[in-house]
């Protein structure tokens, strides 16, 4: 009887060992089968990218059979690299998207990260600028991009001010706080990041947000882009990527504090106070009044592209059907 018991127990434990080994092998095989996709950011990681990092941390991409590789941009813009197939997905903006389409670069936006443009011209309150006309004679610090001058000129003309009296200075990537200490008087920043950072540092500021005054300047921003080649040849991969990404942003919408903590674990060098405040600020803005996160309003892009044509930033207005695709949004 005892001998029989020993035989049964040996058999039982051998079965467990074999099954455990099988589970390990299956798990190993599962990870081997993950499809690596590349996502090229527009700039250093920030809360615009929160959904990607949440989805990565919570395993949403792995659940879709994807291993995501998040890359920081190089000297070449993400728009160009995605268009040429050197990255699967990227972060871009409406102006870059339209520039690219005018240059026959085959990129397509498949989601808008934030429904409305939250960028604003901002200056320290100590300058005592009360209206747009007061910007005359002031120093503007920017990236040296053509749409900056075009936007400034447009809003100044609409406010009866003289754009030629602004001193345009290229400061590149310098942040608002150090830039406005001595180099320039005002810059163009995002409410949910550098403007918020100024307020958290108890620096009093005033802003003028173009999208709040002119509907043609309001559009989803930033954007997730991919290439026509990806859409044609790998639509299922795009669908899986968007399923996971959408879950990440939905989580950030409903749980901003936890999303901020998950983000900080992956990007610990950032200011945790700013990340937390920014996550809370952006939570209601990711989806805004849209029925679902990521939706691209074609009318907004039509209005903006017509404006770009009017101010001679682009030669032709492309058909929105060619560069806007909502079909991958869950």
């Amino acid at each position: 009887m005892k001998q029989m018991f020993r035989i049964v127990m040996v058999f039982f434990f051998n079965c467990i060992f074999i099954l455990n080994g099988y589970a390990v092998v299956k798990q190993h095989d599962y990870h081997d089968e993950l499809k690596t996709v590349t996502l090229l950011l527009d700039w250093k990681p920030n809360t615009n990218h929160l959904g990607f990092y949440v989805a990565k941390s919570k395993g949403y991409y792995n659940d879709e059979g994807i291993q995501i590789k998040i890359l920081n941009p190089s000297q070449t813009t993400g728009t160009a690299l995605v268009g040429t197939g050197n990255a699967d997905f990227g972060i871009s903006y409406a102006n870059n998207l339209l520039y690219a389409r005018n240059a026959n670069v085959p990129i397509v936006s498949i989601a808008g990260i934030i429904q409305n443009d939250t960028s604003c011209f901002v200056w320290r309150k100590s300058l005592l600028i009360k209206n747009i006309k007061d910007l005359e004679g002031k120093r503007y610090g920017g990236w040296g991009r053509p749409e900056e001058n075009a936007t400034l000129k447009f809003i100044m003309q609409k406010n009866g001010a003289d754009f030629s009296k602004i001193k345009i200075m290229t400061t590149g990537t310098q942040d608002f706080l150090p830039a406005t200490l001595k180099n320039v008087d005002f810059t163009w920043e995002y409410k949910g990041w550098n403007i918020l950072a100024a307020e958290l540092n108890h620096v009093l500021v005033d802003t003028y947000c173009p999208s709040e005054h002119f509907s043609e300047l309001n559009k989803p921003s930033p954007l997730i882009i991919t290439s026509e080649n990806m859409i044609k040849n790998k639509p299922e991969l795009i669908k899986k990527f968007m399923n996971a990404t959408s879950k990440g942003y939905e989580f950030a919408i409903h749980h901003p504090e936890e999303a901020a903590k998950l983000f900080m674990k992956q990007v610990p060098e950032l200011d945790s106070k700013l990340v937390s405040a920014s996550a809370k600020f952006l939570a209601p803005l990711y989806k805004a009044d849209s029925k679902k996160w990521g939706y691209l309003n074609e009318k907004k892009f039509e209005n903006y592209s017509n404006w770009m044509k009017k101010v001679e930033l682009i030669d032709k207005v492309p058909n929105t059907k060619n560069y806007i695709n909502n079909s991958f949004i869950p």
Side-chain angles (χ1 to χ4, degrees):
M1 190 68 170
K2 289 182 179 179
Q3 183 67 21
M4 179 63 72
F5 178 75
R6 289 193 189 99
I7 293 170
V8 170
M9 291 305 293
V10 169
F11 176 76
F12 175 73
F13 284 114
N14 281 342
C15 286
I16 291 176
F17 178 78
I18 292 168
L19 287 172
N20 281 341
Y22 177 74
V24 170
V25 170
K26 287 301 288 181
Q27 186 178 27
H28 178 69
D29 288 348
Y30 169 73
H31 286 293
D32 283 348
E33 291 171 3
L34 291 178
K35 172 67 176 176
T36 299
V37 300
T38 51
L39 170 69
L40 187 59
L41 302 182
D42 52 322
W43 185 231
K44 294 179 291 186
N46 57 68
T47 45
N48 282 347
H49 314 132
L50 203 57
F52 303 113
Y53 285 90
V54 168
K56 182 179 181 181
S57 178
K58 294 188 75 67
Y60 296 155
Y61 290 114
N62 285 4
D63 291 345
E64 295 287 344
I66 289 175
Q67 180 177 341
I68 189 168
K69 190 173 183 181
I70 301 176
L71 307 171
N72 287 327
S74 62
Q75 295 286 339
T76 308
T77 68
T79 307
L81 290 172
V82 171
T84 55
N86 288 293
D88 299 316
F89 303 98
I91 309 301
S92 189
Y93 298 86
N95 56 294
N96 286 340
L97 179 60
L98 290 162
Y99 288 145
R101 295 304 306 201
N102 261 240
N104 296 316
V105 178
I107 60 166
V108 178
S109 179
I110 53 175
I113 292 176
I114 300 171
Q115 277 297 307
N116 298 299
D117 192 307
T118 62
S119 66
C120 309
F121 293 104
V122 56
W123 53 87
R124 292 173 184 254
K125 194 177 282 286
S126 57
L127 282 179
L128 301 178
I129 294 172
K130 301 299 181 184
N131 52 55
I132 292 299
K133 191 166 177 60
D134 288 341
L135 293 177
E136 292 178 353
K138 298 297 187 291
R139 301 165 299 170
Y140 169 72
W143 309 282
R145 302 268 300 178
E147 65 273 6
E148 293 177 90
N149 286 11
T151 305
L152 264 175
K153 184 176 181 179
F154 176 76
I155 65 173
M156 291 194 77
Q157 287 177 341
K158 292 292 184 179
N159 283 275
D162 188 348
F163 168 73
S164 67
K165 292 182 179 179
I166 287 182
K167 299 174 183 176
I168 304 294
M169 306 178 72
T170 301
T171 54
T173 58
Q174 190 173 14
D175 287 341
F176 171 77
L177 288 175
T180 54
L181 274 177
K182 57 181 180 179
N183 297 332
V184 298
D185 297 310
F186 71 108
T187 62
W188 199 355
E189 309 287 351
Y190 281 93
K191 278 185 178 181
W193 197 249
N194 280 337
I195 294 175
L196 185 58
E199 293 169 350
L200 290 173
N201 281 279
H202 308 293
V203 176
L204 299 178
V205 298
D206 281 324
T207 61
Y208 184 94
C209 309
S211 64
E212 295 176 4
H213 299 272
F214 305 101
S215 61
E216 58 264 57
L217 300 181
N218 187 26
K219 67 281 181 192
S221 176
L223 308 172
I224 301 175
I225 60 170
T226 191
S227 64
E228 289 182 358
N229 185 58
M230 281 282 289
I231 291 173
K232 180 181 179 182
N233 297 313
K234 299 180 181 179
E236 285 304 314
L237 182 61
I238 298 176
K239 189 176 294 185
K240 291 177 180 180
F241 169 80
M242 285 301 298
N243 284 344
T245 300
S246 179
K247 286 182 182 178
Y249 277 100
E250 285 290 346
F251 186 92
I253 289 167
H254 297 291
H255 309 284
E257 289 188 48
E258 190 174 345
K261 290 176 183 177
L262 293 173
F263 178 74
M264 283 300 301
K265 286 181 180 179
Q266 298 170 82
V267 197
E269 65 271 19
L270 294 181
D271 180 348
S272 60
K273 186 178 178 182
L274 173 58
V275 169
S276 179
S278 181
K280 293 175 188 175
F281 175 82
L282 291 178
L285 303 181
Y286 288 124
K287 189 187 294 185
D289 57 356
S290 178
K291 291 182 180 179
K292 54 186 178 180
W293 172 84
Y295 178 74
L296 296 161
N297 186 318
E298 289 187 13
K299 186 63 178 176
K300 288 184 177 182
F301 284 92
E302 288 172 2
N303 290 341
Y304 185 66
S305 59
N306 284 325
W307 175 82
M308 286 187 73
K309 173 72 165 59
K310 182 179 179 181
V311 298
E312 300 180 348
L313 288 174
I314 56 177
D315 296 324
K316 58 182 182 293
V317 175
N319 188 332
T320 54
K321 305 289 184 189
N322 295 331
Y323 66 88
I324 298 296
N325 189 328
N326 281 308
S327 67
F328 297 105
I329 300 170

